[in-house]
Each structure stands twice: as C-alpha cells, then as structure tokens.
Amino acid sequence: MTNTEQTGTGPKATSPVYTYDKSNAMFDRAVQVIPGGIYGHLGPSEGCYIPRDAYPLFSARAEGTRFWDLDGNEFIDYMCGYGPNVLGYNDPIVAEAAQRQARREDVVSIPGSTMVEFAELLTDTVACADWAFFAKNGGDVTTLAVMTARAATGRQRIVFFEGYYHGVDPWAQKLDYPGVLEQDVLGNIEARWNDIADLRRIFAAHRGEIAALIAQPYKHGNFYDNELPVEGYWKQVRRLCDEYGIVLIVDDVRAGWRLDLAGSDHHYGFKADLITFCKALANGYNVSALCGVEALREPVSSITYTGSYWMSAVPFAAGIATITRLAEIDAPALFRRLGTELTDGLVEVAATHGHRLVVSGEPALFYLRLADDDSLDLHQRWIAERVRRGVFLTSHHNHFINAALTSADIARTLEIADAAFAALERP
C-alpha cells in the first residue's frame, strides 16, 4: 500500500510513499521463532535503521540493482546486501556458472577441481597472492589471518586501528561486549589511523610481542566520515612492519574487488602479507578467501582450520565467473564513474535545498553526512524519506555501487533525494 506525491523540482514524477504492513506482520512471526526476529546488523534494533518505521524488514525478490519487499515496494539498492551484490542481483552469467556447477557436484566427500581453478585465478589476479585458502564468512578468514600471523611469529599481540571492525569472533570485539572475556582481547592494541608516529611508538613499546597489524585499506567505519590514507602512509606502515617483524594483514572484506582487482593494497601502492576477501568475491554466493605471500604458506598449512561447507564447489564457480566478469568490464573504473556521478548529483540536490552534504571515502563505497545538524537527526530523517520512496540506504554506514546501476537509476535516485528534502521542509 502506498501514497503518492510529486517530486520537488525538475520533471514531475510520482514518488510513492511506502508502507510495510506485510513486512511488519512477518517480523511479528519472526520474533516468535528467531532471537530478536532478525539478528545482527540487519536487525531493526541496530542504529542504521532510524527511524525504524521507514524501513522494510523482509525482501521477496531481487534483480539487477533492485529488490522488492513483501509489500511489493521496489527499491534501488545502495547497500547491495551490505556489499556482496557487485555485478547485480541474479546476474545471469554468474547464475548460469553456479547452476552448471550444481548440476555436476557441490558438497562431496572430497573437494572438486573447481577449488583449484578458483585459487589459480586468485593468485593470478591478486598482487600479493601466492596461495589462497577458502572459507565462508569474512570473519572466518580474518580469524585465520590472525592465527597465521601468530603461528608464523610465535607472538600474541595484534594491533588494530581505532574504530576497527574485523568480524564478530571474540578476538575482534571489545571487552565490554556481552560474551567477550578478558583473555579474548588481552593482546589487542589500538593505534590512531593515519598517525605513523603513534604506530612507531606502539611497535617500539611492544618490540617482540606483536604478531600482526590488521587493518582495512582505509577507515570506512560507521557514524563518522570515512578517511582515506594520507599520501605515503601505507608505504611507511609497510616499512615499520618489516623493521619489527610484524605481519601486515589487509582486511579487504568490504572494499575488495571494488577499488582494484589486484587488491586494495595494490590500489594504495603497497604489498600486504595477508589479505582477506568475502562480500563481492562471488556476487552473493557464500565464499571467502585468505590470500598470502609465499613466506606464510607453511604457517597457514600448519593450522587445523576447516568447516562443513568450506569446499563447496558452487560458490567457487560463481567466484570464477564474478572475477572474470569484473575484469572484462573494468569494474573499479566503472564504480568510480558511477559513484562520482551519483554523489556529485546528491551534493547538488542538497545545495538547492540549502544543505551541505559531505561525501567521504571512495566513490565505490561512499559515505554520506548532512553537515547541518550535529545531532544527526536531519540526516536520519532525510535518509528515511528516501527509503520510503524507493532508494534503500542506511543512516550511518558506507554505501555500495554495483555494475547493474545505470545513469537512469542515478537520475531517479536524485529525483527521490529531492522529494525527500521537500518532505522535510513541509510543516
């Protein structure tokens, strides 16, 4: 059920205001059988869904750059499943590769040769990769990366950058989180981002104790402007890690395949020792990967680490098709162009309504903030009005571009952004 209105400026077009009766009814059912109804960061209790009543909770189908909820509402999706949708939902090339593999084999008592083919493609594509190890979730491979660093160095401590997120295993959380024990995080140290002097101080103070530095390629956390590395920063970090014998881990779970097909470390001009991928690795099929340098092949091989479905062949086939297609279309260049076109347009729309929209991060994973209200209320209400009209974002998370997005989609997005500002201005 929807109401309709007119957009504020430019060519007039109906802009339905969505309601979510069926979605909310399904949530009422969900809370009876699932803890929290929807758990994790997709749940309505999380801070990204503000106000709660602006958002659908359950989808019915998805295609290209869009999904439809249970009430039949259509959304241009700039969350992309929080990253996995890199080519477009139900991309026909990837879907056909997965279905073809499924007709042959998937989970068998021994792995299929598709695993080897996928690993060969990764080592040919990722600049720092001499080998690849597969799992299912981003947290699987960030955990393995830390274990590998500890196995290689015999050390315990791990250095993070402030505001870090590397999964939900206890070592990657904070001491005040429910279920996390002091011994889980005893070796953790936080450093300031883009502050090489602070990192040098920490390395010197804990000489011989630090196994690894784990970091995203740039600071793309929630509830603050994203921050790129300053010129030369990563090369200095690389030199410090070499000097102190510390394994440098790049967590490319979120940014991987969107900035550079050779890895985000390559994009920023340095070489990681270990790099983790997930999300966009197979366009939504469930697989993650840890890649690394030759010197760490033996340490990672020494670790007992596996899972029931980690050698599933269907996601490997999907991953091969995804990476091949990303290379054919030069996806990183496409994402930069589309992301810039979109964010430049949003800045202009905001300005016509007297607002300053701050865009930060990389265009392929842009972050938005309306700078007119430090309470964040205005930004949350603007995002909510856009969601109610068919553009799906969350309030305080970076957003994603996928290859199915078109300039027509962007034009429609700008119309809805304009209508959302107009809605805020009405008494």
Side-chain angles (χ1 to χ4, degrees):
M1 179 179 180
T2 62
N3 300 314
T4 60
E5 61 179 32
Q6 299 293 317
T7 56
T9 62
K12 298 295 182 182
T14 59
S15 183
V17 180
Y18 295 161
T19 56
Y20 308 114
D21 295 343
K22 292 181 180 178
S23 198
N24 291 333
M26 184 60 70
F27 184 74
D28 291 340
R29 289 171 57 185
V31 295
Q32 303 302 313
V33 291
I34 299 170
I38 301 171
Y39 42 81
H41 66 283
L42 297 181
S45 63
E46 288 290 316
C48 287
Y49 288 4
I50 302 173
R52 157 63 198 93
D53 62 3
Y55 288 84
L57 292 175
F58 293 93
S59 64
R61 66 184 181 95
E63 183 176 353
T65 196
R66 287 169 163 75
F67 73 84
W68 288 259
D69 69 6
L70 290 182
D71 292 272
N73 300 314
E74 177 181 337
F75 297 86
I76 302 174
D77 184 12
Y78 290 103
M79 295 311 299
C80 295
Y82 283 75
N85 174 22
V86 66
L87 288 173
Y89 291 119
N90 288 318
D91 178 81
I93 295 174
V94 177
E96 170 56 29
Q99 291 162 10
R100 187 167 58 248
Q101 179 63 49
R103 289 192 290 269
R104 293 198 300 266
E105 61 172 348
D106 187 14
V107 178
V108 184
S109 299
I110 58 175
S113 60
T114 310
M115 181 174 73
V116 180
E117 295 166 2
F118 193 26
E120 288 172 339
L121 180 58
L122 284 181
T123 57
D124 287 343
T125 305
V126 177
C128 72
D130 292 313
W131 49 264
F133 185 111
F134 299 112
K136 284 300 178 189
N137 299 302
D140 295 334
V141 288
T142 55
T143 294
L144 180 59
V146 166
M147 292 175 68
T148 301
R150 286 172 167 162
T153 63
R155 303 171 183 174
Q156 176 187 1
R157 290 189 177 275
I158 306 297
V159 175
F160 305 78
F161 287 120
E162 57 190 355
Y164 64 87
Y165 176 81
H166 300 291
V168 295
D169 284 352
W171 67 268
Q173 300 207 39
K174 307 294 196 321
L175 184 57
D176 59 349
Y177 287 12
V180 176
L181 306 177
E182 184 176 4
Q183 55 263 39
D184 294 328
V185 296
L186 195 60
N188 294 1
I189 304 170
E190 281 193 57
R192 291 192 291 270
W193 170 245
N194 265 339
D195 187 339
I196 198 68
D198 185 55
L199 194 63
R200 184 181 293 110
R201 176 190 61 79
I202 289 170
F203 282 11
H206 297 279
R207 182 184 293 271
E209 300 174 2
I210 299 170
L213 165 68
I214 184 169
Q216 296 161 334
Y218 72 93
K219 193 174 181 182
H220 50 60
N222 302 337
F223 289 91
Y224 55 77
D225 294 350
N226 289 185
E227 188 176 351
L228 301 181
V230 296
E231 183 67 29
Y233 178 70
W234 272 119
K235 290 181 179 179
Q236 294 180 76
V237 172
R238 175 73 271 178
R239 285 195 294 269
L240 274 179
C241 287
D242 290 341
E243 179 183 346
Y244 286 89
I246 293 168
V247 176
L248 177 51
I249 304 168
V250 169
D251 178 352
D252 223 5
V253 166
R254 191 181 297 187
W257 310 106
R258 283 189 160 88
L259 305 185
D260 190 326
L261 299 186
S264 295
D265 57 338
H266 184 264
H267 179 72
Y268 289 117
F270 71 104
K271 184 178 180 180
D273 296 313
L274 296 169
I275 188 166
T276 64
F277 298 106
C278 189
K279 293 192 182 291
L281 184 56
N283 202 50
Y285 285 85
N286 190 200
V287 65
S288 61
L290 173 66
C291 296
V293 299
E294 183 62 36
L296 294 172
R297 184 191 299 268
E298 191 283 327
V300 75
S301 300
S302 72
I303 296 169
T304 300
Y305 200 66
T306 188
S308 297
Y309 303 100
W310 286 11
M311 297 182 191
S312 171
V314 168
F316 296 155
I320 292 170
T322 298
I323 294 170
T324 302
R325 185 61 181 150
L326 290 172
E328 289 172 349
I329 65 175
D330 190 5
L334 174 65
F335 298 150
R336 285 192 295 274
R337 179 179 65 77
L338 290 172
T340 301
E341 179 182 347
L342 172 64
T343 53
D344 284 353
L346 289 172
V347 168
E348 292 178 8
V349 169
T352 65
H353 290 269
H355 299 295
R356 183 168 69 90
L357 180 65
V358 176
V359 178
S360 59
E362 295 280 5
L365 300 92
F366 61 92
Y367 185 88
L368 302 176
R369 176 177 60 87
L370 279 172
D372 308 280
D373 180 6
D374 290 340
S375 75
L376 304 179
D377 177 69
L378 177 66
H379 181 82
Q380 290 165 173
R381 289 189 292 119
W382 177 58
I383 294 292
E385 294 298 339
R386 294 174 68 187
V387 173
R388 288 187 176 108
R389 289 161 176 80
V391 172
F392 192 83
L393 312 99
T394 59
S395 299
H396 307 294
H397 194 286
N398 69 279
H399 310 293
F400 298 91
I401 298 295
N402 67 73
L405 188 70
T406 67
S407 290
D409 295 327
I410 291 174
R412 179 60 181 152
T413 299
L414 299 181
E415 289 180 354
I416 290 173
D418 179 68
F421 276 124
L424 295 180
E425 292 162 2
R426 287 194 291 269

